[in-house]
Every structure is written in structure tokens, then in C-alpha cells.
Amino acid sequence: MTTVRITRTALTRGTLAALSGLLAGFASLAVAELVSAAVRPEASPVTAVGGAAIDRTPAGVKDWAIRTFGEDDKLALQLGIVVTLALFALAVGLLALRHRRTGTAAVLLFGVVGTAAAASRPDSTGLVDGLPSLLGAVAGGVLLYVLIGRLTGPRRIADREQEGEQENGYGGERQQDEGGWDRRGFLIAATAAAAASTAAGAVGRTLNGRSAQDAVASRDAVRLPSPASPAKPIPAGAQPRVRGISPFTTPNDSFYRVDTALVIPKVDANSWRLRIHGKGVRRDLGFTYQDLLQRPLIEREITLTCVSNEIGGPYVGHARWIGVRLSGLLKEAGVKPPSRGGPADQLVARSVDGMTLGTPVEDVMDGRDAMLAVGMNGEPLPFVHGFPVRMVVPGLYGYVSACKWIEDIELTTFDDFDPYWVKREWARRAPIKTQSRIDTPKPFGRPEAGTVMVAGVAWAQHRGIEKVEIRVDEGPWRPADLAEQGTVDTWRQWSYPWKATPGGHTLTVRATDGTGEVQTEKRTGTVPDGASGWHSVVVTVD
């Protein structure tokens, strides 16, 4: 009886075919990185595909990603894309071992997807943005075709003898061999391809990094002028001395970040320009960064909140901002608010990455301290927070007001244009809701019996906080001690000395804003205009 067995050679060929797919994928990305240096960094496939994925993700899924991964949501997406590409490459390599041309075509399909994704981005320059993906796929396809050829071509006699595949080597058993292959040629080609791809990727990253270095140098050279209208000092009693409460001013490196940028734009302040144009603009205006710095600057204490902040969430922070009053620039351009007969009711701010945010013109020009900010907590804006210039509008959620890396302001109407987030089921107008949060004790904490300080923050920007109340279990509402209020545009700290008794307890907080409106108990999600409801924590007192 003749026994047929799968040879070690067949298994090795399958492994090397999968490796060929990985190498082809790696080469594609490396060449694309190199080509993107000649186009622009945002055109690289991972960035383009990731951005397109973000654009097409339903609002509810985005909200889940932010809740689950926090500020690491973009890293999670990028890792997911890389893992998906790796699995795809492995499968393509195995496919090519049986169907060489089909496998090569699959690599080219990857390029088509990347090209389409790059061309579809809001900041796309057209098909030119697709060149990195397309040329990278061609390089990967050619490499896969060559490597698979080494696995399916004639095998050298020396290699056969080295493998010991003589027919009598298995005690009379016959070995199944699916044709010869050039192992030595494969190893040489694979090693050369890996080295060349690594070099191409490294050169691409270096070239892409040069523009970022110019941007960093331009930021390092900035010296913010003294504001013509400085902020009032923060009241001495604005920060209670309670362990565990948030600091009144959030450090820049701790300030929340929620945006769609997979790659943080590094904009050179020396080449940055801003344009103001559109309906009701009597004359278009243009500004350089130095133009803004030379204008009278205002400095204000303003708390920002993200619409994706769930009840008790972390996406709220306070900073001292310095910038140019936005209403002054609009008046200089001849803009009038709708209440004074102006034809435009929406201000559309555009970022360098193509993001669009729509802000009510009436809110910007109603006397609040809306600004084009150039500084944050005494230093030029960090890149992650919008350097060189961003918008800040007190009282509105960030997605309708806080455009980072801004480069264009167009006056239009809500009927004529839907900005990025409005197209994705979020509300057109989004004033910040009255909210409060318990910072300490933490959920599921185990404080000791006796006096336990319950403390946190409350906010209702541009209305201020009038009262904060605490409830233990289902007991009566008790007034908390309010810290001094900075301004109506800042959050307010509060504390409450709780006589804690042993056992499990639920602590609940609610706030009343400066108009007398009490924070609603009705719990809603963040979509479409921000979460509502009371924040509670459960603790066990020992």
C-alpha cells in the first residue's frame, strides 16, 4: 500500500506564501509613505482610509468609540486598520500561491480602495491624493508576483539534495510535492525587498517630518504679546481644598482632545493664512498669523465641553485663552447678525484638514467673548489643541464652535450648508446643557465612616452656576458649598461634608444655572445635542 503525506516543503511554501503577502503589504505601505512625502502626509493610505472610515461611521458608533477608548480612539482605529491589512495580506499571499495573477490583482485592489478613500476626504486635492496608495499597490503587486514566482518556479538540484527528498528517504513512502521552487532565490528576493521597503518607509517618514519640524520651529519662535484686555484674576476661593477634586485650571497636557484627525496637523505659522468671506461680507479679509498677533488681544477664562461627554464624563476642561475678538473681525468685514438684518445666520469655520463646523452668527456677535485663540494657559496653542489658531466660543459645544487649525471662515445660512457633524445626525445648534459631576469619592470607592467630603464641578457656560445640591440615597436634596465663581463662562467647584454611615450608598448631584433652570433628571445620550441627566456614584462606607 502506498502512503501519501504532505511534505515539509509544502507546508514551508504555504508559510512563505503568507510571508510574501505580508512583505507585499509592507512594501505597499512603505512606497506609499515615500510618495506621500511628495504629495502630503495626509495622503498616506492608513491616514486616508482611517479618515474615510471615520467619515462614514454612524454617530452612535463614534460615540461608543469615544466612550470605550477615550482619547486613544484614533490609535485603536489605526491599529485596527494595520491588523486588518496584515490579515488581508496573509490571505492574499496564500491565494497567490494557487492563483498568482488573482493574488496580484487583489493587491492592486487595495490601491484602488486607498485611492478612493484619499480622494473622498474633505481636504482632498483630488486624484493626486490617491497617488501614494496607487503607486504603493503597484509596488506591492509586482513584489508579490516576483516572490510567488520563486515559490512556484523550477527548483535547483542542489536545493533538492540539501532537503534530503530522495525517494527512499521515508522508508518507501512516497512524498507529495507540488512542483519545484527556488528557496534560495526566494530568500534573497524577500530579504532585499524587506530592506528596500524599510529604507523607503524611513526616507518617507523623514521627508514627511521636515514640514513638521518647520511648524515646530515656528511655534517655538512665538512670543505672545500682552493682552490689551487681560482676564480678571481667578478668585482665591475658586478652588476648594478638597483632595480628589479637579483643578480649576486644566493643564494643557491634561486637557481633553476629541476630534477626527488621525494625524495631528503641524501647520507652519509663517505660511498660515485665514480668509473671511461669504454672505453679507462687504469685503473679503485675509490675515497672517503675525497680523493677528499685532491686533488688540483679549484674554479670558473659558471652560470648554465636548458634546460627546456623557453624564459624569471627562470631556470638559478649563483654560485661560488669549486671542482676537471674533466679532470685531466680522464687523470689520461688514458682517451684521441676523437680528440687525444680516443675511447670514451661520458661520462655517474650515480647518486645514477639511473639517467644517457651523456656528450661529448671532451667538458669535451677541457680546460674548468669542475669539480666534492663539494662546492657551500662557503659551502658544499646543499643536493638538489647534496651533496656530483655533476658535473658542463660550456656551456652545465644541462641535459647533471650537474649530481647531482654522484657515477659513465663510458666512452662509443653515439652509444652504450642513457642516460635517450636522450631516452625521448631530443638531445644528448646540448650547451647552447645565451639568454637574462628582469627582470624589470615586465610583465604588470605600470611604471610612465619619465626615466624607463629596466634591466636584458644575458648568453651564455663559449662564453660570447658581446652586448645587447633593442627595444621599433617596433622601432630601441638600445644598452644597459653592466655591467662588470665576465668570459665567467658567465651571464652578463645589463641596459637601457628608456624615457617612456604614453600608452601601448612592450619591447624586444636580445643579441650577444662573437663569434658575434646574438640571434635568431626564437621562439622554449624547446624540444629537449633548447628554442630560443627574450624575450618581455608588460607594460602600466601611
Side-chain angles (χ1 to χ4, degrees):
M1 183 176 69
T2 303
T3 302
V4 178
R5 63 185 286 176
I6 302 297
T7 69
R8 182 178 61 185
T9 299
L11 293 176
T12 300
R13 290 174 69 227
T15 301
L16 294 181
L19 176 61
S20 299
L22 280 178
L23 285 173
F26 179 48
S28 295
L29 294 178
V31 171
E33 183 76 18
L34 181 59
V35 177
S36 71
V39 180
R40 61 192 192 109
E42 293 79 7
S44 66
V46 173
T47 301
V49 172
I54 291 175
D55 291 345
R56 290 160 177 76
T57 301
V61 177
K62 289 181 183 178
D63 198 45
W64 171 85
I66 292 172
R67 290 197 311 270
T68 304
F69 299 106
E71 296 184 18
D72 293 326
D73 58 337
K74 300 174 188 63
L75 175 61
L77 175 60
Q78 289 174 310
L79 290 176
I81 291 173
V82 171
V83 170
T84 300
L85 289 177
L87 294 175
F88 175 76
L90 288 170
V92 166
L94 292 172
L95 172 65
L97 185 60
R98 297 290 184 184
H99 307 283
R100 190 177 177 190
R101 292 181 179 177
T102 303
T104 302
V107 178
L108 298 178
L109 177 63
F110 161 76
V112 172
V113 172
T115 300
S120 70
R121 296 290 293 135
D123 59 335
S124 173
T125 57
L127 292 179
V128 173
D129 272 8
L131 283 177
S133 295
L134 188 60
L135 296 180
V138 170
V142 170
L143 176 59
L144 180 63
Y145 193 84
V146 170
L147 292 178
I148 293 299
R150 296 294 183 180
L151 296 178
T152 57
R155 182 172 40 167
R156 300 188 325 161
I157 295 176
D159 285 341
R160 291 176 56 90
E161 293 176 347
Q162 185 177 3
E163 291 171 9
E165 292 181 355
Q166 287 82 358
E167 190 170 305
N168 61 0
Y170 293 102
E173 295 177 343
R174 191 184 345 172
Q175 192 175 31
Q176 181 177 325
D177 192 348
E178 300 177 7
W181 60 284
D182 183 3
R183 181 171 63 179
R184 183 173 301 174
F186 174 87
L187 293 176
I188 293 173
T191 301
S197 299
T198 301
V203 171
R205 284 190 173 275
T206 300
L207 294 175
N208 279 328
R210 286 184 179 176
S211 60
Q213 291 172 1
D214 292 341
V216 171
S218 72
R219 182 180 182 274
D220 291 342
V222 173
R223 298 295 179 266
L224 294 176
S226 298
S229 175
K232 295 179 180 180
I234 298 173
Q239 176 77 60
R241 294 184 177 181
V242 178
R243 181 177 297 177
I245 195 173
S246 301
F248 185 84
T249 298
T250 309
N252 289 355
D253 58 1
S254 300
F255 208 94
Y256 75 88
R257 176 209 166 192
V258 178
D259 54 52
T260 64
L262 280 179
V263 176
I264 300 298
K266 296 289 181 68
V267 182
D268 187 340
N270 297 316
S271 59
W272 176 86
R273 298 291 185 274
L274 173 72
R275 180 188 178 205
I276 298 178
H277 62 104
K279 283 189 175 183
V281 175
R282 286 203 299 266
R283 64 188 183 97
D284 290 5
L285 296 180
F287 301 94
T288 66
Y289 186 68
Q290 288 301 319
D291 289 338
L292 294 186
L293 292 186
Q294 292 169 6
R295 298 179 72 91
L297 303 181
I298 62 172
E299 182 183 57
R300 296 293 184 266
E301 301 283 345
I302 300 173
T303 299
L304 300 187
T305 311
C306 179
V307 73
S308 295
N309 198 46
E310 58 185 351
I311 301 302
Y315 302 127
V316 56
H318 178 83
R320 174 172 289 193
W321 306 90
I322 183 171
V324 178
R325 193 180 292 278
L326 182 53
S327 61
L329 298 179
L330 296 180
K331 290 176 182 177
E332 190 174 319
V335 177
K336 294 181 179 180
S339 60
R340 296 185 57 194
D345 60 4
Q346 179 179 213
L347 179 158
V348 175
R350 288 184 172 84
S351 167
V352 299
D353 67 348
M355 173 58 66
T356 55
L357 279 70
T359 310
V361 174
E362 195 70 48
D363 290 350
V364 172
M365 304 187 73
D366 68 357
R368 72 185 71 195
D369 292 314
M371 70 172 79
L372 293 181
V374 296
M376 179 181 183
N377 287 333
E379 65 177 72
L381 290 171
F383 286 106
V384 71
H385 293 300
F387 181 84
V389 182
R390 68 171 293 166
M391 268 180 62
V392 173
V393 182
L396 303 181
Y397 284 118
Y399 85 100
V400 297
S401 67
C403 183
K404 296 188 284 190
W405 316 294
I406 189 172
E407 68 172 2
D408 185 272
I409 294 176
E410 179 183 3
L411 280 300
T412 182
T413 67
F414 285 105
D415 290 338
D416 288 343
F417 185 81
D418 286 338
Y420 182 92
W421 290 111
V422 174
K423 292 177 181 178
R424 290 155 179 83
E425 304 176 10
W426 296 84
R428 291 182 174 182
R429 301 172 188 266
I432 293 173
K433 298 179 180 179
T434 302
Q435 285 292 310
S436 53
R437 184 182 73 199
I438 298 173
D439 286 346
T440 184
K442 298 296 184 184
F444 309 112
R446 301 188 70 92
E448 295 183 359
T451 300
V452 174
M453 293 303 297
V454 183
V457 291
W459 59 90
Q461 290 92 310
H462 209 55
R463 301 186 303 279
I465 293 295
E466 181 180 285
K467 182 170 61 176
V468 173
E469 298 169 288
I470 287 291
R471 185 177 69 184
V472 180
D473 300 323
E474 296 300 321
W477 289 100
R478 304 289 187 186
D481 298 323
L482 287 177
E484 290 190 54
Q485 182 165 273
T487 71
V488 295
D489 293 332
T490 69
W491 60 6
R492 197 167 187 181
Q493 316 281 54
W494 57 267
S495 60
Y496 176 77
W498 171 41
K499 303 298 183 182
T501 57
H505 299 281
T506 300
L507 306 174
T508 305
V509 63
R510 71 180 183 187
T512 301
D513 67 23
T515 69
E517 182 178 347
V518 180
Q519 178 181 344
T520 180
E521 179 184 9
K522 183 180 179 182
R523 201 170 186 92
T524 62
T526 57
V527 182
D529 60 356
S532 67
W534 296 338
H535 183 220
S536 298
V537 298
V538 176
V539 299
T540 300
V541 179
D542 294 329

